[in-house]
Amino acid sequence: CVAKMSGAGFRASIPSSVRRTIQNIKEITDNHNEENVYAMLKECSMDPNETTQKLLLQGRDFDLESY
């Protein structure tokens, strides 16, 4: 599950040590914000490859549902 942002504008505290990794994943996945990428990264035990794969699959599922 990806963490949802509340209406209050909650922002996850993203450590500077993973910001570059998050930027790289965002460039590949194209349609995910930093908070979603970081939440998925934590869910995937900080594995950038698994995180990227899951986010790409989420995007692909979304695209298929829109047809």
Side-chain angles (χ1 to χ4, degrees):
C1 293
V2 175
K4 302 290 183 195
M5 291 182 53
S6 70
F10 168 78
R11 282 184 69 93
S13 178
I14 300 172
S16 59
S17 60
V18 295
R19 286 197 181 275
R20 184 65 190 146
T21 301
I22 290 171
Q23 288 300 330
N24 290 338
I25 293 170
K26 280 179 58 178
E27 288 175 15
I28 294 167
T29 60
D30 194 40
N31 61 342
H32 295 278
N33 63 37
E34 286 185 4
E35 289 80 15
N36 287 343
V37 173
Y38 184 56
M40 183 64 76
L41 196 55
K42 289 193 306 184
E43 184 178 310
C44 295
S45 302
M46 302 306 279
D47 181 334
N49 294 320
E50 184 179 356
T51 300
T52 302
Q53 182 177 359
K54 284 188 174 189
L55 290 172
L56 286 171
L57 289 173
Q58 276 185 354
R60 195 171 293 150
D61 291 343
F62 177 76
D63 289 343
L64 291 175
E65 290 174 6
S66 65
Y67 287 107

